[in-house]
Amino acid sequence: MSFKPFRRSEIEAELVRLGAKIVRPLSATDDTNREPVFEDIDGRWIAAGQKLK
């Protein structure tokens, strides 16, 4: 699955609207990414990251 280059806050809002389980809300990571992490139907964690400048 891939996302169009939307703002990460829009992706997170859409996931919440669809009832997805958010594992970690939108935040900056230690390797300079900004990403929300959600769980898929099989329990895998998926991050929708964007590199911070």
Side-chain angles (χ1 to χ4, degrees):
M1 169 180 17
S2 64
F3 291 106
K4 293 181 181 180
F6 294 111
R7 287 180 285 205
R8 297 303 167 246
S9 58
E10 292 173 355
I11 292 172
E12 183 179 39
E14 182 67 7
L15 290 168
V16 168
R17 188 186 73 75
L18 293 171
K21 180 180 177 184
I22 303 297
V23 177
R24 191 170 48 232
L26 184 63
S27 60
T29 65
D30 57 355
D31 58 345
T32 66
N33 285 322
R34 186 169 177 246
E35 62 190 27
V37 180
F38 60 98
E39 189 173 284
D40 74 5
I41 195 167
D42 296 318
R44 293 178 291 231
W45 288 14
I46 301 170
Q50 179 180 28
K51 203 57 138 165
L52 295 172
K53 295 181 181 181

